[in-house]
Amino acid sequence: ISASHQSSPLAATRFEEISVSVPQKINDNHRWVDEAAQVLEKWGVVVLVSEENSSGGGLIAGEICDIANHAATSRMEDMHRRIESRGLDPSGVEEPYRFSEIVCRDEGGKRFDVPVAFLGGNDKAVTNRIARDVGSGRIGTPLAPFQHDAIKELHNGIEEIAKPVV
């Protein structure tokens, strides 16, 4: 939440209503799972946050997030180079574009979506074919090995936290 949202009592109340604090050792206390599942059922969304006194720096190690961020940025840069080699403007300033591997949805090129396959522990359980296939090589250009490994590690961390709630 940005500082401007924190000053709004309504936004703070809603954020508090959909937030659930997750203990650093997630297997030690399952009460958070029940609470998060109830919030998810009621609101259709839940925000999982680290305990206030956590020294771990978040639910998923910052290093894993940083490596995944680098991989996603690298993927976007790869796609921009491919778009440019086709003679198109990769910035999206001239016009938005849509490819399986990258989408520029706004005029001015300020927002890019770079979908990747779900690479968590059980990717066969993913029912959305596009979510499973994009970036896997089944649709479009496959992820580079370091991109694949970084995204998989992030997805495994997310799955460990989210799976009990869902």
Side-chain angles (χ1 to χ4, degrees):
I1 283 189
S2 70
S4 63
H5 286 126
Q6 288 177 344
S7 63
S8 164
L10 181 60
T13 302
R14 291 199 177 188
F15 182 75
E16 289 169 3
E17 287 181 274
I18 64 170
S19 297
V20 174
S21 181
V22 179
Q24 196 61 24
K25 294 182 180 180
I26 62 172
N27 294 327
D28 288 353
N29 176 351
H30 293 285
R31 187 181 54 187
W32 72 270
V33 173
D34 295 334
E35 185 181 348
Q38 290 170 2
V39 170
L40 182 61
E41 187 173 331
K42 179 177 181 179
W43 296 104
V45 64
V46 63
V47 177
L48 302 175
V49 295
S50 292
E51 286 183 327
E52 296 269 338
N53 59 0
S54 168
S55 62
L59 298 177
I60 298 175
E63 181 179 299
I64 291 172
C65 295
D66 290 344
I67 292 169
N69 182 47
H70 172 70
T73 301
S74 171
R75 173 75 171 177
M76 185 175 77
E77 290 168 353
D78 289 347
M79 294 302 107
H80 280 168
R81 282 190 291 276
R82 289 172 183 266
I83 289 167
E84 191 170 38
S85 73
R86 290 179 152 197
L88 300 172
D89 173 24
S91 72
V93 171
E94 291 177 12
E95 67 179 287
Y97 51 80
R98 297 184 190 294
F99 295 98
S100 295
E101 301 95 335
I102 186 169
V103 175
C104 175
R105 290 201 244 171
D106 65 339
E107 292 183 28
K110 295 181 181 162
R111 180 175 174 185
F112 299 96
D113 296 331
V114 182
V116 295
F118 176 74
L119 301 172
N122 186 8
D123 73 340
K124 293 185 181 16
V126 176
T127 56
N128 180 334
R129 186 180 62 78
I130 299 298
R132 185 185 65 230
D133 291 350
V134 173
S136 68
R138 294 178 220 154
I139 293 179
T141 308
L143 296 170
F146 87 92
Q147 294 168 341
H148 177 276
D149 294 347
I151 299 299
K152 183 170 185 160
E153 190 166 2
L154 177 65
H155 285 177
N156 284 336
I158 293 168
E159 188 175 41
E160 180 182 351
I161 298 164
K163 193 173 185 176
V165 175
V166 177

